Amino acid sequence: MNPTIYKQIYEIIRLIPSGKVATYGQISEIVGYCTARMVGYAVSSIPLSSVIPWQRVINYKGEISLRSSGSGGELVQQKLLESEGVKSDQSGRTDLEQYRWEGE
DNA sequence: CGGCTGACTCTGG
DNA sequence: TCCAGAGCCAGCC
């Protein structure tokens, strides 16, 4: 059971319930044999049309990361999280202590 | 087949 | 509280 690290990362992200968020490091620990970077790179490869709630995946600071290109996806992602009940402060940081997904 | 790129994370100042 | 540097591995051309 190891098609590709990316595939497994997608599976984990898909398990994240609404109203909760997970950090790249959190997911990397759940997968077990990949680093936080792999998660970030994998998530970046996720198409916006995917069924994967990549919007719930944020960095360890609780902030939304954006690879590059001013596609403005940052605001979209933050809006999606807010729509699920995940509020962020003026700095755009999410309270991980409150919304962090503990996993199952 | 070889090399480059990339939504990250942590410690110290 | 904010800024900067170092470590790491899988996919793609």
Side-chain angles (χ1 to χ4, degrees), chain A residues 1-2 4-6 11 21 32 35 41 46 61 78 89 95:
Chain A
M1 281 190 72
N2 184 6
T4 59
I5 300 291
Y6 281 36
E11 292 292 299
V21 297
T35 61
Y41 307 152
I46 298 174
K61 291 181 275 189
Q78 189 173 12
D89 67 20
D95 189 347

Side-chain angles (χ1 to χ4, degrees), chain A residues 6-36:
Chain A
Y6 281 36
K7 191 62 180 295
Q8 296 214 10
I9 293 169
Y10 300 156
E11 292 292 299
I12 301 299
I13 296 170
R14 222 195 291 178
L15 298 175
I16 303 174
S18 179
K20 292 282 183 177
V21 297
T23 64
Y24 297 99
Q26 193 84 49
I27 295 170
S28 69
E29 284 191 69
I30 295 171
V31 176
Y33 46 99
C34 79
T35 61

Side-chain angles (χ1 to χ4, degrees), chain A residues 21-25 36-37 39-46 48 54-78 81 88 91-94 96:
Chain A
V21 297
T23 64
Y24 297 99
R37 288 190 178 181
V39 180
Y41 307 152
V43 175
S44 69
S45 298
I46 298 174
L48 299 174
W54 56 271
Q55 65 229 43
R56 295 175 194 149
V57 184
I58 55 181
N59 60 19
Y60 84 107
K61 291 181 275 189
E63 239 271 346
I64 296 171
S65 301
L66 188 59
R67 58 200 289 277
S68 60
S69 302
S71 54
E74 176 188 308
L75 296 174
V76 177
Q77 183 168 7
Q78 189 173 12
L81 292 174
S88 53
S91 303
R93 292 192 214 149
T94 304
L96 293 174

